[in-house]
Amino acid sequence: MSFILYQNQLLPREKGKVDMEDRGYQFGDGIYEAIRVYSGQMFLLEGHMKRLVRSARELRIKLPCSIENLTDNLKQLIKRNAIGDGMVYFQITRGAAPRKHYFPDGVSPVLTGSATLFPRDKHREEGIKVVLAEDIRWLRCDIKTLNLLGNVLAKQKAHENGAEEAIQHRGDIVTEGASSNVFIVRGGKLITHPADHYILNGITRLFVLDLASKLNIPVVERTFTLEELFAADEAFITSTGNEVKPVTQIDDHPVSDGKAGEITLKLAEAFDRAVNRVKRATLS
Ligand code: PDD
């Protein structure tokens, strides 16, 4: 039997019901996080929780419980579902109330969550194909909201073209993937869009920036153009699900020689070492 989290309780999956007037359902009025689980342990938990608190603050959604309480419940959820390598997903909506656009008085937030198996990708080194998609999203992409239609349409374009991800751009400027951050390498330097309102500041992005600094790989957080993307020596995406994944083809163009780049693989290996440390610590 699988279990879900509903408010402060674990319930059998089939008992999970949503009110049809929940504002998450009607307006996408809510926030979420997706956290990777390795050997039953949540990875980069603190960063995810910090971002959740920030998303809630920006949208003036009251968290229904403390972060400690939420963390304990998510740990129980992982245990009850016997998740080794997996993914925890949870969302908090503003709550259920008769439909009106402004925040209804006295509405209480609704928390729901799940934990599922999500094995690590064994073919990561092969790299992925991506397509380009105009970034049509709103201007607060820094908030992790349930409103993902721009991302959904971009990902659908990727799917229809046999690609794994869509790299979004506003005019000439590359912003981020449909559900990932984008990095390029030029002349030994990492370049990625600054963490402003045009992108989600990925927890994996932040972790990779930290790995780069430990490996003495120079980093520049600045915008870059489509032209720079096509001329890049290497390109890769980062996200909770993808970890560090090389991009080897953009539309019909290979990135450099069409193989995963050296710096990309160095970072991917450093990421693996961090995951393996978590796994070893769990075993001992
Ligand atoms: N997506 N940018 C966007 C638009 C995203 O949706 C995500 C993550 C990221 C990477 O963030 P992080 O490294 O914290 O996962 C960047 C998650 C995984 C999702 O929606 O499933």
Side-chain angles (χ1 to χ4, degrees):
M1 193 199 290
S2 80
F3 290 86
I4 53 128
L5 178 62
Y6 178 78
Q7 302 292 51
N8 208 11
Q9 276 180 291
L10 296 194
L11 296 177
R13 173 72 191 82
E14 59 280 7
K15 293 253 165 77
K17 297 272 187 298
V18 176
D19 191 312
M20 67 177 276
E21 290 204 293
D22 191 289
R23 292 174 63 89
Y25 183 54
Q26 290 182 332
F27 298 106
D29 187 359
I31 55 178
Y32 76 102
E33 281 295 328
I35 305 179
R36 199 62 188 260
V37 178
Y38 297 117
S39 297
Q41 302 296 313
M42 284 185 277
F43 190 62
L44 306 176
L45 175 67
E46 203 183 309
H48 284 281
M49 290 304 186
K50 249 171 114 173
R51 185 170 64 188
L52 178 81
V53 168
R54 179 180 183 276
S55 297
R57 190 176 62 232
E58 292 299 312
L59 296 178
R60 294 195 276 153
I61 291 174
K62 211 174 130 268
L63 294 180
C65 58
S66 69
I67 293 301
E68 292 70 32
N69 186 231
L70 173 59
T71 301
D72 283 349
N73 282 335
L74 293 174
K75 285 182 180 167
Q76 286 304 321
L77 187 67
I78 291 165
K79 244 195 195 151
R80 283 297 278 279
N81 287 301
I83 302 296
D85 286 351
M87 186 78 86
V88 159
Y89 172 89
F90 62 95
Q91 58 176 55
I92 298 166
T93 72
R94 198 179 302 281
R99 187 178 184 277
K100 45 171 86 90
H101 284 66
Y102 62 83
F103 308 166
D105 284 341
V107 71
S108 306
V110 174
L111 167 74
T112 49
S114 60
T116 46
L117 289 173
F118 193 101
R120 299 189 69 201
D121 184 357
K122 292 198 186 77
H123 304 286
R124 185 186 58 201
E125 274 86 44
E126 290 165 21
I128 56 164
K129 175 186 167 183
V130 301
V131 296
L132 296 177
E134 184 67 41
D135 192 340
I136 58 165
R137 298 172 302 160
W138 73 331
L139 296 176
R140 291 303 308 273
C141 298
D142 54 311
I143 308 174
K144 201 160 174 67
T145 86
L146 297 177
N147 249 303
L148 289 173
L149 267 182
N151 312 60
V152 165
L153 291 177
K155 193 73 110 186
Q156 180 61 18
K157 181 174 179 186
H159 182 66
E160 285 170 1
N161 287 283
E164 272 191 46
E165 179 59 306
I167 291 186
Q168 302 177 99
H169 56 94
R170 287 193 192 264
D172 218 20
I173 302 292
V174 174
T175 51
E176 64 178 336
S179 63
S180 60
N181 293 112
V182 180
F183 289 72
I184 57 170
V185 178
R186 294 197 77 182
K189 256 191 213 145
L190 269 188
I191 306 170
T192 195
H193 196 290
D196 57 19
H197 61 288
Y198 289 112
I199 67 158
L200 182 76
N201 192 4
I203 304 306
T204 322
R205 173 189 183 276
L206 288 169
F207 187 64
V208 165
L209 289 177
D210 193 44
L211 289 178
S213 128
K214 287 183 179 136
L215 294 168
N216 294 318
I217 300 166
V219 177
V220 197
E221 289 180 69
R222 66 154 173 91
T223 58
F224 58 93
T225 61
L226 285 172
E227 198 183 330
E228 288 182 282
L229 173 65
F230 281 114
D233 301 328
E234 306 179 24
F236 63 90
I237 58 166
T238 63
S239 76
T240 296
N242 284 298
E243 304 178 346
V244 175
K245 203 169 264 182
V247 172
T248 47
Q249 191 183 331
I250 306 165
D251 290 333
D252 294 328
H253 310 270
V255 175
S256 193
D257 62 357
K259 296 209 180 72
E262 198 183 314
I263 291 182
T264 306
L265 291 178
K266 229 172 157 176
L267 287 164
E269 283 155 18
F271 193 98
D272 276 350
R273 285 195 293 276
V275 171
N276 288 333
R277 275 196 296 275
V278 171
K279 287 177 166 282
R280 273 199 306 274
T282 329
L283 285 175
S284 62

